[in-house]
Amino acid sequence: MVDMQTDSPGSERDRRIVAARVIVTSPGRNFVSLLIETRSGISGLGDATLNGRELAVAAYLEHHVIPNLIGRDAGRIEDTWQFLYRGAYWRRGPVTMTAIAAVDVALWDILGKMAGLPLYRLLGGRSREGVLVYGHASGRDPEETSAEVGRFAAQGYRAVRAQCGVPGLAKPYGVTRMKNAYEPAESELPLETLWSTPAYLDMVPRLFERLRADHGREIELLHDAHHRLTPIEAARLARDLEPFRLFWLEDATPAENPDGFELIRRHSVTPLAVGEVFNSVWDCRALLERQLIDYIRTTIVHAGGISHVRRIADLAALHRARTGFHGATDLSPITLGAALHFDTWVPNFGIQEYMQHTQETDAVFPHDYTLREGYLHCGESPGHGVSLDERLAARYPYNPRQLPIARLTDGTMWDW
Ligand code: GCO
Ligand code: MG
């Protein structure tokens, strides 16, 4: 007979899950959270937000996951993960893996609170003093973007992602009209934007030439091509950007077909980052094993939680790739809090994306992480250190929003 006892803190009776519920709130943008309660009175929180498809995950959790959680031992994090992944028969996909992530993160939060330890100590302790982050600078033209990069540098940021308007294109990806607040899920039906690769390929090297001239060689610069290019176009851009020594070029071409990245590698040594839309280790496998990327961007919320992203990070480490987790504002403070504990521990850490949430969002999700001189620091409170003010959350009802789409100038549907 296999000994099924876990060595989790607390008695099995105390650890039993007695209730779980989904909380949907929209303090400036939509967030879905999962709260799991144990018999001991200790509860844990997980993020379940999938931008533009929020209610699909909420329904998956409510109808298909929560009924299976009641009565389970909250200390059996791995077994619960395997139960939800293998037991569903239907594997992977963003909705399923986000729902599993929400459960996983809530259970790690409970474990931390029961043990009285912050999450990074449960994972194996501190590997670094702070988590290097990159901020988001954008502008209508290189001059405006450069001024924004300067604003971030003056605040102590050591790494900045730079995006810029493209002549002739209205609403290009990554260019915001609101300082500190970007993530365009602006309308109930998708906003249609226009795309022209030739105009873009002409602009980006000029932008980075300007940024290096204005800000020197020391600041780390990043850029997100947001899946818009074909492999050979991406190879050209990566090659043209070499003189400006980018920290990374992100999502240069859609990553469903890893062979595209071979073409980029053949022509350039610009480091490549991919993975914010991946949801399992299987999506990452070929790119990592064939050493086609340098940074893996899978995030805890969309790739099955801490238990699964840990496996992705280990696979990356074998191939000398480092983590660079997605951290846009459509990932809730719960994900950021959990990611910062992970980043503090993971040996092959690279960088963490950071866009400040709005004050309304921060008020709904009180947290103990702090930003100092371009580094984020996770707190020392037990678990992941992020809570949810349910009364305040109830004041912000769900607000249906979808991400934009992009079309070529002749009307052809393209990748946004
Ligand atoms: C990033 C991302 C975001 C995504 C957004 C989608 O690098 O931060 O590309 O801008 O578009 O998170 O929901
Ligand atoms: Mg991106």
Side-chain angles (χ1 to χ4, degrees):
M1 184 62 193
V2 180
D3 181 8
M4 295 292 277
Q5 279 301 108
T6 67
D7 50 9
S8 291
S11 70
E12 188 171 340
R13 195 158 169 270
D14 278 351
R15 294 194 306 261
R16 202 164 300 155
I17 296 172
V18 292
R21 64 182 185 280
V22 175
I23 300 154
V24 181
T25 179
S26 191
R29 61 172 318 127
N30 294 312
F31 296 108
V32 180
S33 311
L34 176 69
L35 181 78
I36 298 182
E37 292 171 343
T38 60
R39 198 168 189 285
S40 65
I42 289 177
S43 61
L45 267 178
D47 180 17
T49 310
L50 186 61
N51 198 10
R53 293 292 184 270
E54 297 86 2
L55 299 186
V57 186
Y60 190 94
L61 282 167
E62 271 164 359
H63 298 294
H64 308 296
V65 173
I66 288 175
N68 293 302
L69 295 179
I70 308 304
R72 292 183 74 85
D73 178 349
R76 291 194 181 166
I77 302 177
E78 187 62 47
D79 183 65
T80 302
W81 197 97
Q82 299 293 339
F83 175 88
L84 293 172
Y85 183 83
R86 295 177 183 224
Y89 185 63
W90 310 107
R91 294 184 181 198
R92 305 160 60 188
V95 174
T96 303
M97 297 305 277
T98 301
I100 294 178
V103 175
D104 186 75
V105 170
L107 295 184
W108 278 98
D109 193 28
I110 289 170
L111 180 63
K113 288 174 181 168
M114 286 192 163
L117 290 173
L119 189 52
Y120 78 87
R121 289 189 55 196
L122 297 178
L123 290 169
R126 187 178 285 284
S127 298
R128 57 195 52 80
E129 298 312 315
V131 170
L132 176 69
V133 297
Y134 69 91
H136 278 208
S138 74
R140 279 168 299 187
D141 52 35
E143 198 179 333
E144 248 185 47
T145 302
S146 181
E148 275 297 285
V149 170
R151 205 169 67 84
F152 276 97
Q155 289 173 54
Y157 280 81
R158 287 145 208 268
V160 186
R161 178 186 105 155
Q163 306 293 131
C164 185
V166 179
L169 299 188
K171 298 187 181 294
Y173 166 77
V175 179
T176 177
R177 284 153 293 155
M178 311 162 281
K179 282 203 181 10
N180 282 344
Y182 161 74
E183 265 333 308
E186 294 174 306
S187 44
E188 196 161 344
L189 293 176
L191 180 81
E192 300 226 350
T193 66
L194 274 188
W195 181 249
S196 159
T197 298
Y200 169 81
L201 288 180
D202 226 40
M203 180 281 293
V204 186
R206 286 194 289 113
L207 167 67
F208 282 90
E209 186 176 10
R210 169 79 193 250
L211 295 180
R212 282 295 176 215
D214 289 356
H215 303 285
R217 304 284 303 174
E218 207 178 310
I219 189 158
E220 298 290 3
L221 296 173
L222 299 82
H223 182 71
D224 189 347
H226 220 258
H227 324 272
R228 304 289 168 87
L229 307 175
T230 65
I232 196 67
E233 291 163 350
R236 165 176 291 280
L237 180 62
R239 193 192 62 187
D240 289 353
L241 289 175
E242 275 177 9
F244 314 115
R245 197 190 55 74
L246 263 61
F247 186 94
W248 79 34
L249 173 62
E250 176 183 339
D251 288 335
T253 194
E256 286 107 327
N257 177 6
D259 294 343
F261 285 80
E262 214 143 69
L263 198 61
I264 307 175
R265 281 293 205 221
R266 209 176 300 153
H267 296 282
S268 163
V269 293
T270 292
L272 302 173
V274 170
E276 67 182 43
V277 301
F278 288 175
N279 47 66
S280 94
V281 70
W282 300 101
D283 296 328
C284 312
R285 184 179 166 207
L287 287 170
L288 289 171
E289 286 184 351
R290 289 157 63 188
Q291 310 215 147
L292 297 176
I293 57 171
D294 306 281
Y295 295 93
I296 186 73
R297 278 182 53 69
T298 46
T299 154
I300 286 170
V301 59
H302 297 142
I306 291 161
S307 300
H308 193 66
V309 170
R310 192 166 57 170
R311 302 205 156 95
I312 295 175
D314 283 343
L315 178 64
L318 292 180
H319 303 283
R320 285 275 184 262
R322 297 191 286 167
T323 63
F325 288 171
H326 187 201
T329 48
D330 50 290
L331 283 57
S332 95
I334 300 171
T335 287
L336 184 60
L340 293 175
H341 284 272
F342 194 99
D343 295 338
T344 298
W345 155 73
V346 71
N348 51 325
F349 170 73
I351 201 165
Q352 168 69 51
E353 181 177 17
Y354 178 51
M355 294 174 70
Q356 269 167 356
H357 287 105
T358 61
Q359 281 178 2
E360 290 112 299
T361 299
D362 281 340
V364 169
F365 295 94
H367 52 75
D368 65 354
Y369 51 79
T370 47
L371 177 71
R372 292 195 300 278
E373 293 296 311
Y375 289 86
L376 274 169
H377 301 267
C378 63
E380 291 294 327
S381 42
H384 54 51
V386 186
S387 55
L388 174 53
D389 181 336
E390 283 197 65
R391 283 190 30 207
L392 193 54
R395 285 202 225 147
Y396 301 102
Y398 180 64
N399 186 12
R401 286 283 179 272
Q402 291 189 59
L403 283 163
I405 58 148
R407 290 187 186 276
L408 300 184
T409 45
D410 69 357
T412 305
M413 185 71 191
W414 202 245
D415 302 284
W416 178 74

